[in-house]
Amino acid sequence: MPSDAKILIVDDHEDTLYALESALAPLGHLVTRATSGDDALKEVLRGQVGLLLLDVRMPGVSGLDVVRYMRRVEQTQHIPVILLTGFGPDTELSATAFALGVADLVMKPVDPWTLRTKVRYLYDTHQRRRALEAEVRELRARTEERASPRAPGRLHHDTRVPPQRDGHTDARDARDARDARDAREARDARGSRDARGSREALDAREQDRTA
């Protein structure tokens, strides 16, 4: 998990912030606090927030307003959010929160062990997703780079080195050519002698018949 991915806790009551910090301390993650919806949005937009613990009802910008804004911004739309409420079960609130993609709705006062379990799971899942997305982007960039055509006007030079001929090879080739020529001339001379001998033998037989 990236050490700079922090947990942001947001509440307008100091005692609630202190209780949340104490509950999350055993996880070992960096915890940052905000006391209003405006401050929460500023902190989220600065980046490196791995999870948001957010009170539903605060003066000014409410927790639900913060979530609505986050879901419209690509940079923040996938950050897991746990909403905190001290007003008991509320069916309408639950429906609205989950429709906005809130991960969980927790009643105050919080149970430290239960809260740590939820936070650990959501935080780790979000960080694994971020790591996977980074790998996919890198792989896509490499694939596109390999598939991109060569720049216009750029010539491809054959860098292969032609086979080199040394002096021994040239001398051997010349000797072979000379031997082949001598053999051909010898064969032609032998054929000429054989033909001349045949004609002389025919002439001698013809002279014997006419004698």
Side-chain angles (χ1 to χ4, degrees):
M1 241 55 64
S3 59
D4 55 353
K6 56 197 172 189
I7 297 173
L8 177 61
I9 57 176
V10 187
D11 199 288
D12 57 328
H13 293 93
E14 184 68 26
D15 56 344
T16 301
L17 292 174
Y18 178 78
L20 293 174
E21 287 175 333
S22 299
L24 299 176
L27 296 179
H29 298 306
L30 176 64
V31 177
T32 304
R33 57 164 62 187
T35 56
S36 68
D38 285 331
D39 291 342
L41 286 174
K42 292 175 184 178
E43 190 66 35
V44 166
L45 291 174
R46 291 191 184 101
Q48 302 304 329
V49 173
L51 184 137
L52 184 61
L53 275 169
L54 180 65
D55 187 29
V56 173
R57 292 180 173 88
M58 292 182 294
V61 180
S62 71
L64 289 176
D65 291 335
V66 172
V67 177
R68 289 189 183 96
Y69 181 85
M70 289 174 59
R71 295 309 182 233
R72 292 198 300 265
V73 179
E74 182 179 0
Q75 175 188 347
T76 61
Q77 62 186 199
H78 297 302
I79 296 175
V81 177
I82 296 177
L83 280 182
L84 305 172
T85 178
F87 294 92
D90 186 330
T91 303
E92 184 178 352
L93 171 62
S94 299
T96 302
F98 292 128
L100 289 172
V102 170
D104 207 344
L105 189 63
V106 176
M107 303 298 170
K108 295 188 290 186
V110 299
D111 175 69
W113 185 87
T114 301
L115 182 64
R116 282 195 298 270
T117 301
K118 295 176 183 291
V119 168
R120 181 187 295 111
Y121 172 77
L122 293 171
Y123 181 95
D124 291 350
T125 300
H126 181 58
Q127 297 312 303
R128 284 195 295 269
R129 173 176 179 163
R130 287 178 57 194
L132 181 60
E133 289 175 346
E135 291 179 6
V136 170
R137 286 194 298 269
E138 182 179 356
L139 180 60
R140 184 180 294 118
R142 291 181 180 178
T143 302
E144 291 175 353
E145 181 179 357
R146 292 175 182 173
S148 61
R150 296 181 181 275
R154 187 176 179 181
L155 299 178
H156 175 67
H157 298 285
D158 191 351
T159 58
R160 293 176 297 177
V161 178
Q164 302 295 319
R165 298 174 62 87
D166 55 22
H168 296 292
T169 302
D170 292 339
R172 185 168 57 252
D173 290 348
R175 187 171 59 252
D176 292 343
R178 187 171 57 252
D179 292 344
R181 186 179 63 253
D182 293 343
R184 186 168 59 253
E185 291 176 353
R187 187 170 59 253
D188 293 343
R190 187 168 56 253
S192 297
R193 288 197 302 270
D194 292 343
R196 189 168 54 251
S198 297
R199 286 197 301 273
E200 291 176 352
L202 288 174
D203 291 342
R205 282 200 296 274
E206 185 66 26
Q207 290 176 359
D208 290 342
R209 280 200 302 268
T210 57

